[in-house]
Amino acid sequence: MTDRASIRAARLTRVAKVGDALAKSAERIALDRRRSLEAEQQRLETVRKYCGDYGQLAREREVAGQSVNSLRMYREFSGWLSTLSQDQLDRVAQAEFFLETAVDEARGRRRCADAIDKAAAKSTKQAAVVEQRREQANLDELAGRRVASGLHR
């Protein structure tokens, strides 16, 4: 019985280490996703700032009396910037989704790893109790033999 409990505890301990490694891996992925989101948000902010600056420049040039062709090119470029801004906004939304998914995955794996670790600790404790009982039974048997053989002092 002792061997089975010890073997089970050892197996659960190994599984707990694997579970912890998987949880740490998922946590690293979530951290990478967070960094990616921050980079995408920074790019969006840069594009929005550039759009605002360029829009202001275009309005100033309109007031200054630019040629129709020049105004048309400014408006086309402004439209391209708006498209770029929307595309970057979509990338930010996608990065947010990836982060949420990675965080949920990391939490789930951590809960699983913690549950396995708890089970391993409980199994190790049970194996120790079984081992103590076995040792006590052996000592009791040895003491009984001594008393029976008259070696008791």
Side-chain angles (χ1 to χ4, degrees):
M1 182 76 177
T2 302
D3 291 334
R4 289 182 72 195
S6 296
I7 291 170
R8 181 174 190 269
R11 285 182 181 161
L12 277 173
T13 300
R14 286 192 304 270
V15 171
K17 288 178 184 177
V18 170
D20 186 56
L22 290 173
K24 286 179 181 178
S25 174
E27 289 163 353
R28 280 191 298 274
I29 289 170
L31 183 60
D32 289 343
R33 300 290 180 169
R34 184 174 310 283
R35 288 181 186 133
S36 294
L37 172 61
E38 291 169 357
E40 294 296 341
Q41 288 173 329
Q42 183 62 37
R43 285 186 196 107
L44 177 62
E45 199 57 40
T46 300
V47 168
R48 285 182 171 167
K49 183 180 181 315
Y50 190 73
C51 284
D53 293 348
Y54 189 78
Q56 180 63 33
L57 179 64
R59 282 188 292 280
E60 289 172 4
R61 290 197 174 195
E62 282 179 21
V63 171
Q66 291 289 317
S67 68
V68 173
N69 193 32
S70 179
L71 289 175
R72 183 180 53 78
M73 288 192 308
Y74 275 115
R75 293 202 186 258
E76 286 175 5
F77 187 69
S78 181
W80 178 80
L81 282 175
S82 294
T83 302
L84 181 67
S85 178
Q86 185 58 47
D87 290 347
Q88 189 59 39
L89 188 61
D90 293 344
R91 285 187 191 103
V92 167
Q94 184 181 34
E96 287 172 341
F97 173 76
F98 287 156
L99 173 60
E100 289 172 14
T101 303
V103 166
D104 289 345
E105 179 73 17
R107 284 181 183 147
R109 287 190 182 199
R110 178 50 61 197
R111 279 192 302 272
C112 182
D114 289 347
I116 293 170
D117 191 47
K118 205 181 262 188
K122 183 177 178 181
S123 183
T124 300
K125 186 176 179 182
Q126 288 172 345
V129 167
V130 168
E131 181 63 23
Q132 287 174 350
R133 286 181 184 159
R134 186 181 67 76
E135 287 177 12
Q136 186 61 48
N138 287 341
L139 290 175
D140 291 347
E141 181 183 329
L142 184 61
R145 284 186 205 165
R146 284 182 148 185
V147 167
S149 66
L151 295 175
H152 185 262
R153 295 180 190 196

